[in-house]
Amino acid sequence: GAVVSQHPSRVICKSGTSVKIECRSLDFQATTMFWYRQFPKQSLMLMATSNEGSKATYEQGVEKDKFLINHASLTLSTLTVTSAHPEDSSFYICSASGEGEAEAFFGQGTRLTVV
Amino acid sequence: AQSVTQPDIHITVSEGASLELRCNYSYGATPYLFWYVQSPGQGLQLLLKYFSGDTLVQGIKGFEAEFKRSQSSFNLRKPSVHWSDAAEYFCAVGGIGGFKTIFGAGTRLFVKA
């Protein structure tokens, strides 16, 4: 299958700072990328869908000013958690799919801890 | 609206016993169905997927799943469970063209010796 690389795998940041998470498709063009959040012992909740060159579409209840998503190229999408607080600590996972594809390929996730 | 239901929050089976994890979905069009496994603190690993064709699909690690349109189900099975199968299992439904993948709540599998 196609490979999606997510970086960093773990990050610790201070409360009030911003942190950026990258999601790259290594061997295919990702026309659509998805960002999920997973709290401990819970399922993956979709945060937003981004199409290359367009503004992201956020799910209900997700603050778009807090979780900035950029999908500037067909191989890279970034999620920036702005002014992070301890309650933003979570596991963030991205996935990517090519045009007309039924399957999205997942990155390995980023464990964010805000202290 | 699309949704996925995994009715069992957790299941405990003995090593060597058979396993069936249930999944029901609601989707307005032809569903694309997936089963993923996640070990603690790790990312997702795709076990198998169903797009079309034979309704019994084989996956990795000896898992299989059967798509039953009439029951809107996609249950995961394994004939003999190994201790290393203990993990969280997620059923998911998606669509073509980059349509979002929606996950069920997950079923945690415990394997006892």
Side-chain angles (χ1 to χ4, degrees):
Chain A
V3 180
V4 174
S5 175
Q6 192 171 336
H7 178 80
S9 58
R10 292 178 179 272
V11 59
I12 301 173
C13 71
K14 291 184 177 181
S15 186
T17 63
S18 296
V19 61
K20 180 183 288 187
I21 302 169
E22 293 186 348
C23 180
R24 293 181 184 274
S25 58
L26 299 186
D27 52 2
F28 69 102
Q29 293 188 325
T31 51
T32 308
M33 287 189 169
F34 307 88
W35 287 95
Y36 294 83
R37 181 175 184 176
Q38 185 180 32
F39 290 106
K41 299 184 179 181
Q42 294 189 26
S43 187
L44 284 75
M45 301 303 298
L46 181 66
M47 299 174 66
T49 303
S50 72
N51 292 294
E52 185 264 338
S54 303
K55 289 185 177 180
T57 301
Y58 290 80
E59 295 297 304
Q60 190 173 8
V62 177
E63 299 176 62
K64 58 183 177 182
D65 294 331
K66 180 166 190 61
F67 298 100
L68 300 180
I69 292 172
N70 183 280
H71 190 170
S73 78
L74 285 171
T75 59
L76 174 65
S77 176
T78 60
L79 168 67
T80 301
V81 183
T82 61
S83 187
H85 292 283
E87 58 265 30
D88 299 323
S89 298
S90 190
F91 193 55
Y92 293 87
I93 305 177
C94 72
S95 69
S97 67
E99 186 172 357
E101 293 294 329
E103 181 177 355
F105 301 94
F106 285 81
Q108 285 304 102
T110 297
R111 172 77 56 196
L112 169 64
T113 304
V114 184
V115 298
Chain B
Q2 62 185 56
S3 65
V4 179
T5 302
Q6 292 180 249
D8 303 306
I9 297 174
H10 55 80
I11 283 181
T12 301
V13 299
S14 297
E15 190 169 19
S18 63
L19 169 71
E20 181 170 31
L21 301 182
R22 296 182 291 165
C23 173
N24 292 94
Y25 66 91
S26 174
Y27 198 75
T30 301
Y32 297 96
L33 297 159
F34 309 87
W35 274 100
Y36 292 90
V37 61
Q38 185 180 38
S39 296
Q42 302 298 311
L44 298 175
Q45 182 179 25
L46 179 67
L47 287 176
L48 47 79
K49 59 190 176 187
Y50 172 78
F51 290 169
S52 65
D54 193 346
T55 57
L56 183 64
V57 293
Q58 303 297 320
I60 62 172
K61 303 185 178 183
F63 286 93
E64 66 177 28
E66 186 171 12
F67 170 60
K68 293 185 177 180
R69 185 184 297 275
S70 61
Q71 298 178 19
S72 297
S73 69
F74 189 56
N75 295 348
L76 181 72
R77 299 193 295 253
K78 186 170 184 177
S80 178
V81 170
H82 188 263
W83 65 266
S84 60
D85 293 324
E88 187 86 21
Y89 291 80
F90 293 100
C91 180
V93 63
I96 201 165
F99 197 77
K100 57 190 178 185
T101 303
I102 299 299
F103 287 81
T107 298
R108 179 161 294 279
L109 174 64
F110 297 94
V111 180
K112 60 182 180 181

